[in-house]
Amino acid sequence: LPMEPQGYPDPDPGPKAVMVGMSEQDIGIRLDEALAAMPMITGVNNHMGSAATSDPETMAALMKALRSRHLLFIDSLTSSESVAHAEAKKTGLPTARNRIFLDYDNENHTTIKANLEVLVRTARSSGFALGIGHPHPATADVLAREIPRLAAEGVRFVTVSEMLALQ
């Protein structure tokens, strides 16, 4: 779900982003527009959104809108100031936080593989870890090669919904 970043309008999250100060009703309208485009989703995460996820009122309104639609929320953690995860928990929404971007602005196979290894180490030490990858060819290549190897080593890959249910 696109959200207002720090420094808006440059960078620009694109049309129909959730913006700081929007009413709960307007956030609901934006959410419904997104859901109409992708009706089978089970939840959202923030695209950009460092300003929006750092604003308690905006996040409280978003989490209420998500809860009423029975959706979960993943905090991408685009800002260390994010209150999104805490607001989701306060609302009783299923929620988790991103541990690492596998490929943030990066299509380097070596870096993506190294970030995947960080994610796996975290999962092994804490029982689970959530990472975010983008639809880059390099990311797809690394995952296609590494997932079978990691699965053979006992790493279990699950959907976000499954991970939250297992917690």
Side-chain angles (χ1 to χ4, degrees):
L1 185 65
M3 296 185 200
E4 181 179 342
Q6 295 291 342
Y8 176 79
D10 185 31
D12 185 349
K16 302 187 182 198
V18 170
M19 305 299 281
V20 172
M22 284 182 116
S23 70
E24 187 176 325
Q25 180 181 1
D26 287 340
I27 288 172
I29 290 168
R30 295 279 164 98
L31 184 56
D32 288 338
E33 290 169 343
L35 293 172
M38 301 182 81
M40 300 303 289
I41 65 167
T42 58
V44 303
N45 73 298
N46 54 293
H47 168 67
M48 297 188 171
S50 53
T53 59
S54 298
D55 184 71
E57 292 80 18
T58 303
M59 287 300 96
L62 174 64
M63 299 315 159
K64 284 177 69 177
L66 290 169
R67 187 183 66 204
S68 72
R69 291 157 180 84
H70 308 287
L71 298 171
L72 60 86
F73 182 77
I74 301 302
D75 188 350
S76 296
L77 280 179
T78 55
S79 168
S80 61
E81 311 272 318
S82 178
V83 297
H85 183 70
E87 288 295 331
K89 286 179 89 168
K90 197 185 304 183
T91 308
L93 205 64
T95 186
R97 289 181 281 203
N98 177 34
R99 168 61 179 91
I100 192 168
F101 284 99
L102 299 177
D103 56 4
Y104 187 77
D105 287 339
N106 190 322
E107 292 194 50
N108 178 294
H109 286 73
T110 303
T111 303
I112 294 167
K113 183 178 177 189
N115 289 341
L116 181 60
E117 291 299 331
V118 168
L119 186 65
V120 168
R121 278 194 306 277
T122 301
R124 285 184 171 142
S125 68
S126 68
F128 68 93
L130 187 145
I132 294 176
H134 297 86
H136 300 308
T139 307
D141 291 345
V142 170
L143 292 175
R145 185 175 58 249
E146 295 300 318
I147 287 176
R149 177 185 66 79
L150 292 166
E153 293 175 6
V155 176
R156 184 171 167 210
F157 291 85
V158 298
T159 66
V160 171
S161 295
E162 289 173 294
M163 184 187 79
L164 291 171
L166 290 169
Q167 293 178 9

